[in-house]
Amino acid sequence: MDLKPGSRLKSLVCDTELIVVKAPDGDVDITCGGAPMADPAEAERNGDVSADATDGTALGKRYVNEDESLEVLCTKPGDGSLALGGTPLGLKEAKPLPASD
């Protein structure tokens, strides 16, 4: 799947929906709950969340891959966890604010 910022994605096995914030060049294999994600207009729920992909997603949280070339924002939470090419995506941590002393 070729992604670009602003693209919307929907899980085929749970309620998770995402917006792409940052995307790498080329074809990307992003999954949720062990199943490929799809365009919301074409997505029809079928199947169940894979037993090894049940960490879930949280509303309003950003998820990134290890080198942060892919960043997605969760717009609807679900039971499946996100992965890119079989590698789980991690929760993006907030940057600490500078000290005001």
Side-chain angles (χ1 to χ4, degrees), residues 2-45:
D2 192 25
L3 297 179
K4 61 183 180 180
S7 298
R8 293 182 167 273
L9 299 171
K10 182 176 172 127
S11 173
L12 299 176
V13 295
C14 71
D15 294 331
T16 300
E17 292 186 24
L18 309 171
I19 292 179
V20 177
V21 176
K22 183 178 176 183
D25 292 330
D27 200 28
V28 177
D29 176 30
I30 186 168
T31 61
C32 180
M37 296 201 73
D39 183 290
E42 302 169 4
E44 287 189 32
R45 191 167 177 171

Side-chain angles (χ1 to χ4, degrees), residues 8-100:
R8 293 182 167 273
L9 299 171
K10 182 176 172 127
S11 173
L12 299 176
V13 295
C14 71
D15 294 331
T16 300
E17 292 186 24
L18 309 171
I19 292 179
V20 177
V21 176
K22 183 178 176 183
D25 292 330
D27 200 28
V28 177
D29 176 30
I30 186 168
T31 61
C32 180
M37 296 201 73
D39 183 290
E42 302 169 4
E44 287 189 32
R45 191 167 177 171
N46 60 0
D48 295 317
V49 175
S50 175
D52 60 343
T54 58
D55 291 339
T57 54
L59 178 65
K61 297 296 181 180
R62 292 174 185 246
Y63 294 87
V64 295
N65 61 343
E66 199 169 294
D67 66 358
E68 295 191 11
S69 62
L70 173 71
E71 181 177 335
V72 294
L73 172 66
C74 179
T75 57
K76 188 172 180 184
D79 297 329
S81 55
L82 302 171
L84 178 65
T87 304
L89 295 182
L91 196 58
K92 185 173 183 179
E93 298 298 324
K95 294 180 183 175
L97 296 173
S100 61

